[in-house]
Amino acid sequence: MILAISLALYEQVSADKNIYITVIAIVVFMFGMMQLSAKTPSKNQDKEEQDVD
């Protein structure tokens, strides 16, 4: 994810901008964030488990 953001920022400051590289870098970053957020537990997880009981 860090590599994707670095690449996107580098493309923004370069003289000849390539929009496709920027879009691919953003997609890779968003996919990585989605995978990371799937691993983090919800704040309401305890409440949901108590509601089931």
Side-chain angles (χ1 to χ4, degrees):
M1 287 185 348
I2 294 171
L3 181 65
I5 288 299
S6 300
L7 183 63
L9 290 175
Y10 175 75
E11 279 296 316
Q12 289 299 312
V13 298
S14 65
D16 52 342
K17 296 172 178 59
N18 190 343
I19 191 70
Y20 297 113
I21 293 176
T22 306
V23 169
I24 290 170
I26 291 172
V27 168
V28 168
F29 176 74
M30 294 302 275
F31 181 75
M33 287 300 292
M34 184 178 69
Q35 294 294 323
L36 183 64
S37 67
K39 293 180 183 179
T40 56
S42 174
K43 283 183 177 180
N44 299 327
Q45 188 174 13
D46 293 334
K47 292 179 184 176
E48 291 172 0
E49 289 175 0
Q50 289 174 357
D51 291 342
V52 173
D53 292 339

